[in-house]
Amino acid sequence: MASLDEPLRGVVGGKAAVRAEKAFGLRTTGDLLRHYPRRYVRRGELTDLASLRDGEDVTVFAQVAKVTSRRMKARRGRLLEVTVTDGSARLALTFFNKVEYWERQLSPGRHGMFAGRVSTFAGKRQLAHPEFKLLAADDADKAAEYAAELIPVYPATRDFSSWDIEKCVRVVLDTLGEVVDPLPQDVRERHGLDGLTTALLGIHRPADLAEADRARTRLKWDEALMLQAVLAQRRRAAAAQPATARPPRAGALLDAFDARLPFSLTGGQRDAGGIIAADLARGHPMHRLLQGEVGSGKTVIAVRAMLQVIDAGGQAALLAPTEVLAQQHYRSITDLLGPFGQAGRLDGADQATRVALLTGSQGAAARREALLDAASGAAGIVIGTHALLTEHVQFADLGMVVIDEQHRFGVEQRDALREKARGTRPHVLVMTATPIPRTVAMTVYGDLDTSTLTELPAGRSPIATHVVPAADKPRYLARAWERVREEVAAGRQAYVVCPRIGGEDPGPGSGADGRMNDADDPESFVGQDEEDAGPRRPPLAVLDLAPALADGPLAGLRLRVLHGRLPAEEKDAAMRAFADGLADVLVATTVVEVGVDVPNATAMVVMDADRFGVSQLHQLRGRVGRGSEPGLCLLVTETPEGTKARDRLDAVAATLDGFRLARLDLEQRREGDVLGAAQAGRKRSLRLLTLLSDEALIRQAREEATALVEADPELATHPALAAAIGSLLDEEQAEFLEKT
Ligand code: ADP
Ligand code: MG
């Protein structure tokens, strides 16, 4: 059996090995063979030159149309300009030295591959000093054979071109024997998959596209099965850990709470609640992801679960991503509990517990009291931001951890909180309102069980969303402010959201405010298009817009500002004033994005809406339409019609389906970005697999992997698979260490 661990140096030679390592970190024959072609072209097939973008590193197939050379004005020597064509669009290739040499080779009519970085010079698309390789002039006899031959196009760099890679791959493949296959034979047979050797040959030098396809599918299976096997092992290991069982107790706090609840639970809430109640009653830790649209009522489910834990003698911690949200949770949970949250106070009920709030910036006295209540066990529920993760915070008996809006927290933070439980591990409930496409849930959150709330509580009104083209139709913007005034006149409230704080603001994405309380989250800017990459004015800022509105279109209304740089008390005061109806309009950054709940707020105007991501806009608009009055969301933008940015806004306006928008978001971001920093290394292990289009394959691989791990947790009977997983994990670990 051939090994894929052989250093490249010995096989392809020192020079190529150095380039391969420098360009892509490829060290072994296996690394090289897993550097797959991006696509294939047939000889004679030309690249669509009109689709090239500035700054892209490309390998194009084109035909030489024209060759001119001239003496340069500014410096000595001659400039050679070769125009190549795909039959319609043209691209200039420029060469500054060895002009005669290049000129002799690049005669009009020749076909070739040209590689370089696209730039624009004097209005013309060009590749300066491209690498190139001319294809042999067609021999009439061999024409048919040639035409059928597929040429692989590899991700390449300037120093390690697609054809360099092709050459190295050929050397490796020519000397390769049969390689060890990590996919168990019965899995291969069940799904009609090729062996690894066949697949590697098939992906690098397919006879036709069908063969390349078969090879890709098989190699995707490698990725999917290994990933799912790792996740299955993690789930199994986690499930094997002991946890204190917290079964429900009749006639206690939870029952009293239910009796007080001013509404009845939706079917979805009852189902998810029942599953969670059963999880908590088991002697192993729960690891559950609860996802549900904005406003679907996740908090109530979490509170009920926390009460079950308290009834069983434990404590629960609720971790929120921002102070605003922690404070809001504190208020709404205290309200929901009423006398049952006031233990030891005059108006406390008999069975009551206490709710403590811990934030980074609260006063010393309040903090001391909260810490004491957590440590003594007097507080059944402890709510906080990442301040909860610090070492000073101790619990008497932490039985459950609830993490709200998971996408802001990394796995390490989840773990840090888990460590707070002495002895056994706490049950963990993760809540997110960012709809996660199923395949992402199966991969990124693959170590969690999932529950999804699909219905909204009855009586919710729909949110109408409109795009307001401020540049082409200034009148529409004026109308937007009138709408805000109308809502306020009707006794309701409005949000105005800006992408930036302003003032001393060092600029978007600087992270100066710190991640957790940061309004100017760099995520806000993921959606920017390259097509309008020219100098743009800075995004609108809260501190500029608020006074302008107060003196202009919203004169006479009660305005408050809210952003991440305000001290905690001021943030809380602003939020509270707005919640209590003491302000008509809240001019804010994305601090209002997550979870903020003011049912009387019915309108939202998002300024420079194109600066936000699709899912983020969807989150934002979830802030309105939480009461019985219909919600209105106006997306103000200066981007012209027909641009991608504008299309994205139209998509948000056209649907309220968060899952569809999440898919759209995913399509527009790179997979690695979606997987996030917390999943370091996973990028590398997902080369072919695309989370969106490979859903069926991922699901099948998950079933196979789960079965394999259940039958044989250490995969002792599948040594090749176990070894492949081992080196994958090493690689992830190494990459993670490099990053930190
Ligand atoms: P999210 O899932 O976005 O966190 P919340 O838990 O904040 O949603 O719930 C949004 C609002 O809906 C809250 O005011 C909550 O009290 C209310 N709510 C939750 N469940 C129901 C229900 N079954 N019927 C009516 N209102 C509900
Ligand atoms: Mg919420």
Side-chain angles (χ1 to χ4, degrees):
M1 285 276 169
S3 156
L4 290 176
D5 295 330
E6 214 137 326
L8 275 177
R9 174 173 303 274
V11 187
V12 301
K15 216 166 131 200
V18 166
R19 288 174 172 183
E21 166 135 31
K22 219 170 118 203
F24 298 105
L26 311 175
R27 295 186 188 121
T28 63
T29 49
D31 291 345
L32 181 70
L33 294 182
R34 301 270 184 195
H35 187 76
Y36 304 126
R38 206 198 296 277
R39 62 199 161 87
Y40 307 89
V41 269
R42 273 180 218 289
R43 201 173 279 273
E45 188 182 314
L46 303 176
T47 308
D48 172 16
L49 296 177
S51 68
L52 301 181
R53 286 166 156 247
D54 267 11
E56 250 182 333
D57 286 313
V58 296
T59 303
V60 300
F61 287 71
Q63 187 174 25
V64 177
K66 198 172 81 178
V67 181
T68 57
S69 73
R70 59 185 161 79
R71 196 156 293 288
M72 285 186 285
K73 289 187 201 112
R75 45 178 165 143
R76 265 152 47 90
R78 291 202 307 146
L79 168 80
L80 180 70
E81 184 173 295
V82 177
T83 307
V84 297
T85 175
D86 61 5
S88 56
R90 291 171 166 241
L91 179 70
L93 315 176
T94 49
F95 299 88
F96 300 100
N97 44 37
K98 292 204 281 174
V99 164
E100 289 75 18
Y101 177 72
W102 301 127
E103 198 169 8
R104 269 198 303 279
Q105 301 195 26
L106 291 159
S107 47
R110 295 290 302 265
H111 282 86
M113 300 194 231
F114 307 91
R117 180 163 297 175
V118 182
S119 59
T120 301
F121 186 75
K124 256 196 258 180
R125 280 287 162 76
Q126 66 161 14
L127 302 179
H129 261 287
E131 299 283 312
F132 67 90
K133 183 183 165 194
L134 293 172
L135 304 182
D138 282 358
D139 174 336
D141 289 345
K142 287 192 172 169
E145 192 182 314
Y146 267 153
E149 191 186 328
L150 291 175
I151 303 169
V153 182
Y154 291 92
T157 66
R158 208 188 162 87
D159 292 334
F160 197 42
S161 68
S162 185
W163 47 92
D164 289 337
I165 299 171
E166 187 186 347
K167 207 155 61 181
C168 292
V169 167
R170 192 174 320 136
V171 173
V172 172
L173 287 179
D174 285 346
T175 57
L176 192 73
E178 192 70 17
V179 296
V180 182
D181 194 333
L183 275 195
Q185 182 158 359
D186 56 334
V187 172
R188 264 186 284 148
E189 278 166 10
R190 259 196 299 281
H191 300 278
L193 304 171
D194 288 340
L196 181 57
T197 314
T198 310
L200 288 173
L201 286 165
I203 197 154
H204 289 290
R205 31 160 111 140
D208 52 34
L209 288 176
E211 186 182 347
D213 252 12
R214 276 187 65 80
R216 286 177 82 82
T217 302
R218 143 71 215 219
L219 295 167
K220 281 180 184 180
W221 261 90
D222 283 7
E223 296 176 7
L225 191 80
M226 281 185 224
L227 181 56
Q228 294 300 337
V230 171
L231 293 168
Q233 284 177 326
R234 281 189 195 154
R235 275 198 306 273
R236 204 172 180 288
Q241 301 245 345
T244 308
R246 314 280 182 177
R249 186 156 63 86
L253 209 48
L254 176 55
D255 284 351
F257 172 82
D258 281 345
R260 244 185 79 87
L261 209 56
F263 45 74
S264 50
L265 298 177
T266 64
Q269 282 173 321
R270 262 198 298 276
D271 291 348
I275 291 169
I276 292 169
D279 283 351
L280 294 174
R282 295 174 58 231
H284 300 289
M286 166 174 82
H287 296 278
R288 185 167 292 279
L289 175 70
L290 174 62
Q291 51 173 339
E293 280 282 343
V294 170
S296 57
K298 296 182 292 295
T299 315
V300 175
I301 298 184
V303 171
R304 294 187 71 255
M306 293 193 280
L307 293 176
Q308 177 174 330
V309 169
I310 296 170
D311 283 342
Q315 288 169 286
L318 170 60
L319 189 58
T322 63
E323 294 215 354
V324 168
L325 198 54
Q327 274 149 357
Q328 180 188 284
H329 271 311
Y330 177 75
R331 278 195 303 274
S332 61
I333 289 175
T334 318
D335 282 353
L336 277 171
L337 288 174
F340 296 101
Q342 307 288 338
R345 310 246 157 80
L346 219 51
D347 47 357
D350 280 352
Q351 306 164 302
T353 184
R354 215 181 284 169
V355 185
L357 175 68
L358 255 172
T359 61
S361 53
Q362 70 193 153
R367 184 175 173 76
R368 202 171 321 113
E369 190 187 332
L371 282 172
L372 222 57
D373 277 356
S376 69
I381 298 178
V382 182
I383 300 171
T385 54
H386 58 304
L388 270 185
L389 302 174
T390 61
E391 280 161 27
H392 314 295
V393 185
Q394 292 188 342
F395 294 86
D397 180 9
L398 183 60
M400 179 183 194
V401 174
V402 180
I403 301 177
D404 195 12
E405 310 298 350
Q406 157 81 5
H407 60 295
R408 306 255 174 148
F409 290 105
V411 176
E412 306 82 20
Q413 283 160 320
R414 244 200 270 161
D415 286 345
L417 200 49
R418 263 186 218 161
E419 300 299 328
K420 299 257 168 216
R422 275 171 264 160
T424 60
R425 310 211 114 197
H427 300 281
V428 176
L429 179 67
V430 173
M431 304 195 289
T432 178
T434 308
I436 301 169
R438 218 180 357 198
T439 40
V440 179
M442 281 192 289
T443 41
V444 182
Y445 300 101
D447 55 341
L448 302 174
D449 298 313
T450 322
S451 299
T452 305
L453 294 177
T454 48
E455 60 185 319
L456 294 181
R460 287 288 161 73
S461 329
I463 303 165
T465 308
H466 302 285
V467 177
V468 178
D472 358 327
K473 304 213 166 78
R475 216 172 40 76
Y476 283 29
L477 182 58
R479 177 72 192 122
W481 300 126
E482 272 171 43
R483 286 290 292 114
V484 169
R485 299 192 74 99
E486 286 165 19
E487 290 298 310
V488 172
R492 296 186 287 265
Q493 293 160 281
Y495 298 99
V496 177
V497 180
C498 296
R500 200 161 63 92
I501 299 174
E504 298 297 300
D505 191 7
S510 70
D513 287 3
R515 177 91 176 128
M516 303 307 252
N517 293 316
D518 192 4
D520 282 306
D521 188 328
E523 264 180 58
S524 325
F525 301 89
V526 292
Q528 286 191 33
D529 285 309
E530 284 138 44
E531 65 196 334
D532 41 33
R536 304 174 82 181
R537 66 163 170 73
L540 290 174
V542 169
L543 296 180
D544 299 333
L545 185 68
L549 289 175
D551 290 340
L554 301 185
L557 305 192
R558 296 169 302 168
L559 266 57
R560 291 290 293 241
V561 299
L562 177 66
H563 57 75
R565 271 212 318 271
L566 287 179
E569 319 83 75
E570 283 178 44
K571 254 190 275 183
D572 188 39
M575 204 52 233
R576 195 186 293 264
F578 190 66
D580 293 346
L582 299 174
D584 301 314
V585 179
L586 191 67
V587 185
T589 55
T590 51
V591 283
V592 298
E593 176 192 353
V594 250
V596 170
D597 186 20
V598 179
N600 193 46
T602 48
M604 172 176 284
V605 182
V606 184
M607 305 305 291
D608 282 341
D610 47 285
R611 310 273 182 143
F612 299 93
V614 165
S615 289
Q616 201 178 17
L617 288 171
H618 182 61
Q619 291 279 309
L620 276 169
R621 85 174 144 189
R623 305 299 120 221
V624 294
R626 295 177 74 92
S628 51
E629 294 298 327
L632 174 68
C633 176
L634 301 173
L635 305 175
V636 180
T637 180
E638 291 181 0
T639 53
E641 218 160 338
T643 57
K644 272 198 185 166
R646 183 65 173 275
D647 289 349
R648 214 165 41 222
L649 295 182
D650 289 337
V652 175
T655 181
L656 287 171
D657 182 341
F659 281 90
R660 260 184 55 193
L661 293 172
R663 281 183 81 96
L664 191 73
D665 228 8
L666 193 55
E667 279 162 15
Q668 293 184 340
R669 293 206 227 169
R670 308 241 320 272
E671 304 261 306
D673 299 341
V674 176
L675 297 175
Q679 304 290 324
R682 196 140 295 174
K683 260 186 246 197
R684 281 192 62 129
S685 49
L686 296 184
R687 279 170 234 248
L688 293 175
L689 209 56
T690 49
L691 298 181
L692 280 179
S693 46
D694 294 319
E695 186 169 333
L697 192 155
I698 293 173
R699 202 198 328 266
Q700 289 169 354
R702 183 176 172 85
E703 281 165 19
E704 292 286 358
T706 309
L708 282 171
V709 168
E710 245 154 51
D712 175 7
E714 301 304 324
L715 298 172
T717 51
H718 302 285
L721 180 60
I725 289 175
S727 58
L728 180 90
L729 290 178
D730 285 350
E731 200 172 289
E732 285 196 9
Q733 188 68 23
E735 219 172 283
F736 181 72
L737 290 177
E738 270 165 37
K739 282 205 176 121
T740 46

